Amino acid sequence: MRILGIETSCDETAASVVDAGNSGFNVRAHVISSQIPQHAKYGGVVPEVAAREHVKNIIPTLSYALKKAEAKPAQIGLIAVTKGPGLMTSLAVGVQTAAALSYAWDTPLIGVNHMEGHILSNWVRNPRIRFPVLNLVVSGGHTELVLMTGHGKYKLLGKTRDDAAGEAFDKVAKILHLPYPGGPSIQRAAEQGNPASVAFPRPMLRESNYEFSFAGLKTSVLYLVQKRKKLSGKDRADIAASFQQAVVDVLVGKTLRAARQYRVKSVLLAGGVAANRPLRKTLKHSLNKELPKVIFSTPPFEFCTDNATMIAVAGYFNAKRKKFSRWQTLDADPNWELV
Ligand code: KG4
Ligand code: ZN
């Protein structure tokens, strides 16, 4: 089945063409039109700006993806589009475009949950994944541990009570006057710093639940910066490295505990923060050491942050379960929680 994936939930306009079948996935086109320069001057995503950019970019992005994939509309067997969660005005552009194409091409349509897309991005490269699976989903809006006993079968074990991990990276980058987007900036700055230089708290690490909280950690960084008044490059690198280490310790510690308690066969890391190298490395090494039989997977970098390939893959698994949408009634759902 040839699938056209469309993603516009936040600040990336993305389109992918993916061939999917029992033997796996073949990504024929993976196109992302990024809005980073438009939002960088504001230090974060401005919804109104994002919506206007999506409107401008959606058709060129789609037509470029189809051209790159050498795919004709008649060959597209399914249109998969992000329905939510995300910014209403951003989601609406993708959803309305997908509904219009479904009508014009008479092609089946599926509205996909963005977080399910992140989770299923782990299937793109067809690794061996066995159920039950524990997903650590870490993005700009979400930080969750999700147990998955089969396709479409999710159970939420815990989530953040306040800031998501990516949100904390973005806010701490602002405090340190590092450029937007904050995650990659913190990671870059941290490479020159000592992660043991500041003893930041490890929020909720010792609590026997699977919830997270990053707002207090962010405030600790703020107080430290306010106390120091003037920061050298070295100070900034040390704070970035210590903050990053605290986030990684909490995420990895809780994931390992959940993996043990639920006796999972695989652990998957997904979402924009999964692009963080120290997190990928630490989780992989800790699992190898403590639970060597557990399979670990995280997508290649280009499938971690928002993209449409993951939406096409999620479309495929939903189509197998006959979870189709209708162009007449498909609507964006900005608060759609997976579980
Ligand atoms: O999944 P995503 O692209 O969008 C949402 O669904 O939110 O995630 C974006 C988040 C941002 O907060 C960004 O700062 C963070 O992922 N991020 C990173 C890295 N790359 C992106 N965080 C830490 N390290 C990175 N290398
Ligand atoms: Zn995302």
Side-chain angles (χ1 to χ4, degrees):
M1 182 197 296
R2 185 160 292 176
I3 306 172
L4 174 64
I6 301 175
E7 154 66 37
T8 65
S9 68
C10 189
D11 60 340
E12 321 275 12
T13 317
S16 289
V17 178
V18 177
D19 286 348
N22 286 337
S23 55
F25 299 95
N26 175 26
V27 182
R28 298 180 66 94
H30 175 83
V31 180
I32 300 173
S33 166
S34 172
Q35 304 176 6
I36 287 176
Q38 280 77 12
H39 298 288
K41 53 180 178 271
Y42 304 107
V45 177
V46 181
E48 167 77 16
V49 174
R52 285 172 189 233
E53 287 296 313
H54 284 308
V55 169
K56 203 164 75 190
N57 296 334
I58 185 81
I59 299 297
T61 305
L62 278 167
S63 77
Y64 182 57
L66 288 167
K67 192 170 159 208
K68 237 182 131 193
E70 296 180 357
K72 302 240 174 328
Q75 296 168 330
I76 301 294
L78 174 70
I79 300 168
V81 62
T82 304
K83 172 181 156 84
L87 299 170
M88 180 64 201
T89 45
S90 288
L91 289 164
V93 178
V95 165
Q96 292 310 318
T97 307
L101 290 178
S102 167
Y103 167 68
W105 296 348
D106 196 18
T107 303
L109 176 68
I110 289 186
V112 167
N113 182 291
H114 181 82
M115 303 318 290
E116 184 170 43
H118 275 305
I119 288 172
L120 296 177
S121 65
N122 270 293
W123 270 261
V124 177
R125 286 287 156 87
N126 320 314
R128 200 167 55 97
I129 295 174
R130 292 168 59 207
F131 293 107
V133 163
L134 176 66
N135 294 285
L136 172 61
V137 197
V138 271
S139 70
H142 289 74
T143 297
E144 295 178 345
L145 278 167
V146 178
L147 186 68
M148 186 182 180
T149 48
H151 282 289
K153 294 181 185 150
Y154 301 103
K155 183 181 173 206
L156 180 67
L157 301 183
K159 62 178 181 177
T160 182
R161 290 181 177 176
D162 39 58
D163 290 354
E167 193 179 352
F169 268 94
D170 294 335
K171 288 177 176 170
V172 166
K174 259 191 170 174
I175 294 169
L176 295 175
H177 298 293
L178 293 169
Y180 165 86
S185 295
I186 297 261
Q187 183 184 306
R188 228 174 296 120
E191 282 162 13
Q192 313 301 323
N194 173 5
S197 55
V198 187
F200 285 125
R202 268 58 178 162
M204 305 187 75
L205 180 56
R206 305 263 162 255
E207 290 187 25
S208 59
N209 56 35
Y210 296 111
E211 294 184 8
F212 300 90
S213 166
F214 294 106
L217 175 59
K218 168 199 69 190
T219 310
S220 304
V221 177
L222 179 67
Y223 287 163
L224 180 73
V225 169
Q226 283 173 343
K227 224 167 45 196
R228 296 258 179 106
K229 290 198 179 90
K230 215 165 165 225
L231 287 184
S232 67
K234 175 79 175 103
D235 290 338
R236 208 171 270 138
D238 282 345
I239 295 171
S242 303
F243 161 77
Q244 180 176 258
Q245 189 62 53
V247 175
V248 169
D249 284 353
V250 173
L251 293 175
V252 171
K254 292 227 160 185
T255 305
L256 251 69
R257 189 144 50 76
R260 242 185 240 115
Q261 180 180 344
Y262 290 92
R263 298 168 189 272
V264 297
K265 295 210 167 104
S266 313
V267 169
L268 314 184
L269 170 64
V273 183
N276 185 268
R277 282 179 204 277
L279 174 60
R280 296 163 80 91
K281 216 168 116 186
T282 313
L283 185 53
K284 185 174 179 204
H285 287 176
S286 308
L287 278 166
N288 277 350
K289 204 170 123 210
E290 296 192 29
L291 298 167
K293 286 198 184 133
V294 171
I295 297 164
F296 173 68
S297 165
T298 190
F301 291 103
E302 69 266 33
F303 302 128
C304 286
T305 43
D306 290 349
N307 67 89
T309 297
M310 68 184 199
I311 301 305
V313 171
Y316 171 73
F317 286 114
N318 277 286
K320 278 182 90 166
R321 302 201 318 279
K322 310 238 177 304
K323 297 267 180 197
F324 292 98
S325 311
R326 297 173 66 229
W327 63 260
Q328 294 92 334
T329 50
L330 182 67
D331 248 336
D333 185 351
N335 301 314
W336 184 19
E337 294 297 341
L338 181 60
V339 269

